[in-house]
Structures are given as C-alpha cells and as structure tokens.
Amino acid sequence: MDIDRIAVHESVAKACPLEAMVAALQGSDVPVEAVGDDASFDAGDCVVTFSPRDVFLDAAWVHGIRAGYDEFDVAAYETAGTALTNSTGIHGDTVPETVVGYLTAFARRLHVYRDRQGDADWTHEPYEAPFTLTGERVCVVGLGTIGQGVADRAAALGMDVVGVRRSGDPAENVERVYTPDELAAAVGDARFVVLCCPLTEATEGMVDAALLETMRDDGYLVNVARGPVVVEDALLAALDAGAIAGAALDAHWEEPLPETHPLWDHESAIVTPHVAASTNRYHEDIAALVQENVERATRGESLRNRVA
Ligand code: NDP
Ligand code: 7N6
C-alpha cells in the first residue's frame, strides 16, 4: 500500500485538538493535512478520523482514533477493499485509572461528600455505608487492553478479581475467567461489575433486567464500554428499586446524554461525559500507532489493529 497523504478529519476534535493531531503526525516523508466534510479521497490516502463518513471508502486506509469501531460499517470496508484500523492498545492506563476512581468513590463515599461540599455540609454517611475495596470481588467483563488494566489495578488493591471474555483464556491477575454464556454466574458474587467489552451483536443488551436481578443488591455496575451494552430502562428500574446499589456510566445510549435524563441527578449514579480515556497525550498515542502503520504499509507488511 503506497500512502502519499495523511488526511486528518476534523472530527478528531472530539478527542483532541485538530492542530495537535496534525502536528504529531508530521515528521515522516508523508504530507499531513487537516480536512473537513467537503474533502474527497483517493487510493493514496490514509484518513485519520473519530467519526465515519461514506466518502472515506475511496481512501486506501482509514484509521479510527477510538478502540470501539461499532459506528463503522465493516462490511462496506471489506467490499470496497479499504483497510480499517482501530486504536485498541492505547487505553490501558487512562480508562482503568478512571475505573479505579469510580470504585473508590463508591466504596469511600467520595461522590456523596463532593455533592455536599457546596452546602458546607458536615453530615457523615451512615456507619454501614463505607467499605474498603480490599477483599471485595470485581467481575471484569472484557479482558483486553482496558479489562486487563482494570484487573491489574484491582488486584493491586487487594480485590478478588474474576473476569469474562469470549475465548475464556486465562488472564494475569484474574482468578477465574468465565465465557459469555457463564455471565450470570460470573457477576453473581461480585460487588462490582465493570463492562470493558466492545459493542457487538453479542454484547448489545447483554446487561438486561435478568442480569441486573442476578447482581448483588449491594453491587455496583460500571460501564466504560458502550451505552447499548446495557438495557437503559432495566438499569433505571434497578437503580430506582435499589436492586443494585449504584452505577458509574461513562458510555451512554445517546451522547451527549440528554439534559433531562434521570441519571444526571440520580443519587446512586456517577455520570461522566465519555471521558474515561481522556488524556493530554491522546494525539501522541494515536500518532505513534498511525506512524507505525505507515511504515508497515511502506514495507508491504500487514497493518496493526486491522479490523477490515
Ligand atoms: P480489546 O479488543 O483489547 O478487548 C476487548 C475484550 O472484550 C476482549 O477481552 C474480548 O474477549 C472481550 N469480549 C468480546 N466480546 C465479548 C463478549 N460477548 N462477552 C465478554 N467479553 C467479550 O478492546 P479494548 O479493551 O481496547 O476496548 C474495549 C471497548 O471499550 C472498546 O471496544 C470500546 O467500546 C470501549 N472503550 C471505551 C472508552 C471510553 O472512553 N469509555 C475508551 C476505549 C474503549 P477476547 O479477549 O476473548 O477476544
Ligand atoms: C476518545 C476515546 C474509544 O472507543 O470510546 C473511546 O476509544 C473514545 C478519547
């Protein structure tokens, strides 16, 4: 594959400044330029983008700057013969650190005290409310880059870690790995269930009313995957009924989450606006991936992270 232009689509601004991404990609012999929705593409182009556009199918290769590529029509890429690569592999610190933040907030009640701070409120949580992460069980659903990072940190905190992955293969710091058909058994004893899997036909609606019913009533759900992995109405009903103790959600069914959505001021929820992966080095991490693949393409080797 001969790449003679790297076109950085303006949608990358959803994750990092467009100019920073363009600058980070400079340095090889291949020219780099920012492009908007009016641009056209040809067989010498690599497009770096956050969002899909139909016109990208005219390029040689499209690089999505997210790990999740559920918004891309993989079959159309295969039909067009356009390569599609994703950005899995770069979120092994950011997202797991955010997950540790959610777990710590719930256990140590930090979110409650932060909410009260504006009222100079010295009220203590009930004696029974705070607990330690040490000794609690977490079930990590999806044991790839992000799930492994969560498992490593949870184990370091003295938690009991179990996990779920398609293959069922063992993972470091995970005492027992279940397969997706064993999901109910995997979550049953867990104080925390952390979703770190892709959105696929198999995972859409995976966390439904029945699974939430299986969870402990003092258990917490964390979703850093994609909103539709969880059935929205079922989660709201479980939170309202106290069937689970709370949920931390970074990924939502509609983004931005509508202003009137009940989760915004739900006392059992922590809502973040899809920022679990945010870092001031995002442009550098993406540029390293793209530049490695430009070199591979030049040498005629297969692209890393190729999904179509
Ligand atoms: P990886 O590809 O590294 O890992 C995905 C993991 O999910 C694998 O362990 C895989 O199993 C597992 N998996 C796939 N299908 C199922 C299933 N049906 N049930 C249980 N596990 C399953 O991806 P990443 O860790 O890089 O990212 C995971 C997802 O997180 C992304 O697809 C994206 O949607 C989301 N994400 C969200 C971010 C945010 O900002 N909130 C940032 C980055 C990613 P196996 O190992 O057996 O193949
Ligand atoms: C943007 C990260 C992903 O799939 O959802 C995330 O990688 C987006 C900073």
Side-chain angles (χ1 to χ4, degrees):
M1 187 188 294
D2 290 324
I3 299 300
D4 45 43
R5 178 175 74 144
I6 299 175
V8 185
H9 187 251
E10 60 191 0
S11 64
V12 303
K14 290 187 174 182
C16 62
L18 177 61
E19 320 75 58
M21 182 68 85
V22 171
L25 284 162
Q26 308 276 7
S28 69
D29 293 339
V30 183
V32 184
E33 66 176 300
V35 298
D37 272 341
D38 52 348
S40 55
F41 302 94
D42 64 33
D45 283 331
C46 161
V47 184
V48 175
T49 188
F50 184 98
S51 303
R53 296 285 184 271
D54 290 346
V55 70
F56 296 164
L57 290 168
D58 296 336
W61 157 36
V62 175
H63 180 79
I65 68 164
R66 315 174 77 185
Y69 55 97
D70 45 278
E71 292 180 4
F72 287 80
D73 183 348
V74 171
Y77 277 78
E78 279 164 359
T79 303
T82 304
L84 177 65
T85 51
N86 76 347
S87 297
T88 193
I90 67 167
H91 306 104
D93 293 327
T94 50
V95 179
E97 285 188 15
T98 307
V99 170
V100 169
Y102 299 137
L103 269 50
T104 309
F106 282 133
R108 309 306 307 151
R109 316 309 293 160
L110 301 179
H111 59 311
V112 177
Y113 294 115
R114 187 61 178 77
D115 282 351
R116 292 179 186 160
Q117 187 174 319
D119 298 327
D121 186 346
W122 196 255
T123 307
H124 289 199
E125 279 281 87
Y127 182 73
E128 313 71 47
F131 59 100
T132 60
L133 294 178
T134 309
E136 294 289 349
R137 172 169 288 195
V138 59
C139 175
V140 185
V141 182
L143 289 166
T145 302
I146 294 173
Q148 186 65 61
V150 172
D152 294 346
R153 285 160 179 77
L157 287 164
M159 299 184 76
D160 172 22
V161 186
V162 299
V164 183
R165 72 193 310 180
R166 258 181 322 188
S167 62
D169 288 347
E172 208 169 323
N173 287 320
V174 183
E175 284 163 36
R176 178 164 177 190
V177 177
Y178 295 82
T179 47
D181 57 310
E182 302 171 309
L183 183 62
V187 305
D189 292 335
R191 191 73 190 266
F192 296 96
V193 175
V194 183
L195 305 176
C196 310
C197 54
L199 173 62
T200 64
E201 278 179 22
T203 63
E204 184 167 1
M206 184 173 76
V207 180
D208 57 9
L211 194 81
L212 290 161
E213 182 60 34
T214 306
M215 281 179 61
R216 286 167 53 163
D217 59 10
D218 62 354
Y220 294 87
L221 179 73
V222 175
N223 188 5
V224 289
R226 286 289 185 264
V229 174
V230 178
V231 177
E232 182 174 7
D233 291 347
L235 177 62
L236 290 170
L239 288 171
D240 288 342
I244 62 170
L249 304 159
D250 187 58
H252 304 276
W253 306 274
E254 184 184 346
E255 297 185 357
L257 189 66
E259 277 177 35
T260 54
H261 200 283
L263 276 176
W264 281 117
D265 57 7
H266 204 295
E267 63 174 10
S268 307
I270 298 177
V271 172
T272 50
H274 208 139
V275 289
S278 297
T279 162
N280 52 14
R281 297 189 41 187
Y282 205 79
H283 59 297
E284 293 172 11
D285 295 341
I286 295 293
L289 259 182
V290 173
Q291 277 161 344
E292 178 187 339
N293 268 341
V294 169
E295 285 167 24
R296 284 170 174 258
T298 306
R299 292 194 297 263
E301 295 171 6
S302 57
L303 299 179
R304 182 174 157 198
N305 282 4
R306 185 161 179 171
V307 295

